[in-house]
Amino acid sequence: MEGSDRRQQILQAAALVVEGAGARHLTIDAVARQAGVSKGGVLYHFPSKRALLEGMLDRLLEQIELSTRALREQHPHAANPALVARVLAERNQSAGERAMTRSILAAAAEDPELLAGARAAVSSAFDEAGSGTEPAALGWVVLLATEGLRFLEMLDLLPLSDAQRQQVHRQLLRLAEGSGA
């Protein structure tokens, strides 16, 4: 297996460990077992747990970017296609992506510098949310609500039923598409 394929296999295994057992069970040994490789094989690609977490964050950011880019292309006539794509990407996020986000959030609580790579992505999301939305603050509010929804779900704190959650998503989409309330 090629190096980049093995690296992706290890990152997928890490996501499965977190999804199945929780963030505190993310260890190099657990990832090696899940990936079917030796501990040395994991350490070759990720020399530390921090490096593994950075790789997971990079992969998550890449997945979000690919998803939002595809969704943006599906909604070219929206007032703000990038914002519509963000709302839809949050709604469509998989359980594995949510689990990976939880593990990164837990690690970032101990080492805030892990989020350095995410800062540029978040800044870009705010730029996109504000451009094409009048006033720009409306786009920022929709983005903040979308990300707040993501975090409440991720932390299993959202008190809304599935039907209520869908109502919130429909309202956010209406706002993002420029049709208001």
Side-chain angles (χ1 to χ4, degrees):
M1 180 177 284
E2 189 178 308
S4 65
D5 291 340
R6 176 71 70 197
R7 185 176 168 83
Q8 291 305 312
Q9 175 191 5
I10 292 167
L11 290 171
Q12 179 62 33
L16 290 172
V17 168
V18 172
E19 185 177 357
R24 77 189 120 145
H25 295 286
L26 181 69
T27 65
I28 299 293
D29 288 324
V31 172
R33 275 192 304 278
Q34 181 69 42
V37 300
S38 69
K39 183 176 181 177
V42 173
L43 291 171
Y44 175 79
H45 293 282
F46 302 98
S48 65
K49 184 175 177 181
R50 185 180 200 285
L52 177 62
L53 287 164
E54 288 172 343
M56 292 173 72
L57 177 59
D58 289 345
R59 182 171 188 229
L60 180 64
L61 292 172
E62 181 180 303
Q63 288 173 332
I64 290 169
E65 176 57 32
L66 290 173
S67 173
T68 55
R69 186 179 313 137
L71 290 164
R72 191 176 346 187
E73 291 170 4
Q74 293 173 17
H75 297 86
H77 301 297
N80 189 332
L83 188 57
V84 169
R86 290 270 175 199
V87 174
L88 291 171
E90 190 287 321
R91 184 186 72 188
N92 300 339
Q93 194 175 35
S94 72
E97 289 169 330
R98 290 188 198 288
M100 206 173 350
T101 303
R102 272 194 301 276
S103 68
I104 293 164
L105 185 63
E110 292 178 28
D111 184 359
E113 283 306 307
L114 273 175
L115 296 179
R119 286 185 180 85
V122 170
S123 180
S124 176
F126 271 86
D127 289 344
E128 289 177 339
S131 66
T133 305
E134 195 54 46
L138 176 61
W140 301 331
V141 167
V142 171
L143 180 61
L144 286 166
T146 300
E147 293 305 318
L149 184 62
R150 179 190 319 268
F151 280 104
L152 288 174
E153 286 180 323
M154 178 185 60
L155 297 171
D156 200 25
L157 295 173
L158 188 67
L160 303 177
S161 68
D162 285 342
Q164 291 169 322
R165 183 179 167 273
Q166 290 304 319
Q167 285 178 323
V168 170
H169 274 112
R170 281 193 298 275
Q171 184 63 37
L172 288 170
L173 277 172
R174 277 195 291 275
L175 290 168
E177 290 169 342
S179 61

